[in-house]
Amino acid sequence: MTAPYDIQTYLLDRANVHDTVTKNTLYYDIGSFEGLIKEVYAPQVVIDYTSLLGGQPVETTNSEWAKSLEPMMSSYDGTQHVVTGLLIELPQPVKGATRPDKCTVVANVNAHLYRKEAKGGPIMHNGGRYKLDLVRLPELEEKGENPWRVSKQVTTASWLDGNFDVMAPVAGLGH
């Protein structure tokens, strides 16, 4: 018999989803690639930066994605990614509702990148939206962990300002 989908479970799911999304951008900035594997991404993940960088979405494992990020992110002298305005699409816990195994989050995201050696200036800023699909992994929940993981990340650019050459280390994503 499954546990009821009540207000407490709904609120815990919302908090856990919010934490997962927040960890995503923070872990990029502090270089916690292990955190991205263990606490952010599902075992299989689709990453789509085509709006910003062209190419194709990348279908990969969480480990391979994190390993590919390490040399890219370490080439920056500083980064700050900010995610805000999270709209977490979870059903309300009305009578008879079933607890979801997946949800979608739409959020604003900004990136501030600093690379001293970039030709033409060291700073690039960009902003846009995340559309994130998350899945609930019951095996993590059984261990008392946050069970929500990102299975698909689509980044849509709205604006760019600064020197695009700063982004050279990530230009090959999806190509």
Side-chain angles (χ1 to χ4, degrees):
M1 182 171 181
T2 60
Y5 183 53
D6 56 15
I7 292 171
Q8 182 177 348
T9 305
Y10 165 79
L11 291 173
L12 180 59
D13 280 344
R14 282 185 60 81
N16 280 332
V17 167
H18 190 279
D19 285 355
T20 298
V21 174
T22 302
K23 286 176 183 179
N24 184 13
T25 55
L26 178 64
Y27 288 176
Y28 275 58
D29 293 334
I30 65 173
S32 179
F33 305 105
E34 190 69 20
L36 290 171
I37 295 166
K38 291 183 176 180
E39 300 177 47
V40 174
Y41 291 109
Q44 296 293 315
V45 65
V46 176
I47 305 293
D48 184 346
Y49 281 99
T50 58
S51 168
L52 188 60
L53 302 170
Q56 298 296 317
V58 176
E59 295 183 37
T60 188
T61 66
N62 58 4
S63 296
E64 287 301 314
W65 174 242
K67 286 177 191 173
S68 74
L69 284 175
E70 195 164 0
M72 288 185 261
M73 297 308 294
S74 66
S75 69
Y76 290 105
D77 297 301
T79 64
Q80 183 182 43
H81 292 80
V82 179
V83 64
T84 187
L86 282 70
L87 297 177
I88 301 168
E89 298 176 8
L90 284 169
Q92 296 292 315
V94 297
K95 185 176 181 178
T98 304
R99 185 174 183 206
D101 292 324
K102 57 187 176 179
C103 74
T104 300
V105 175
V106 177
N108 292 315
V109 64
N110 293 301
H112 308 280
L113 310 171
Y114 181 74
R115 193 166 62 89
K116 291 179 200 173
E117 301 301 317
K119 295 177 184 169
I123 297 176
M124 174 65 176
H125 307 281
N126 61 67
R129 307 275 176 291
Y130 267 164
K131 181 173 184 264
L132 306 168
D133 292 339
L134 286 87
V135 294
R136 184 169 54 85
L137 303 176
E139 63 273 18
L140 296 177
E141 196 163 39
E142 290 169 9
K143 295 193 280 183
E145 297 178 25
N146 176 345
W148 291 95
R149 298 294 184 269
V150 174
S151 61
K152 185 174 183 181
Q153 175 178 311
V154 178
T155 304
T156 303
S158 297
W159 59 271
L160 305 167
D161 184 35
N163 179 11
F164 201 78
D165 187 61
V166 171
M167 294 181 57
V170 298
L173 271 175
H175 294 276

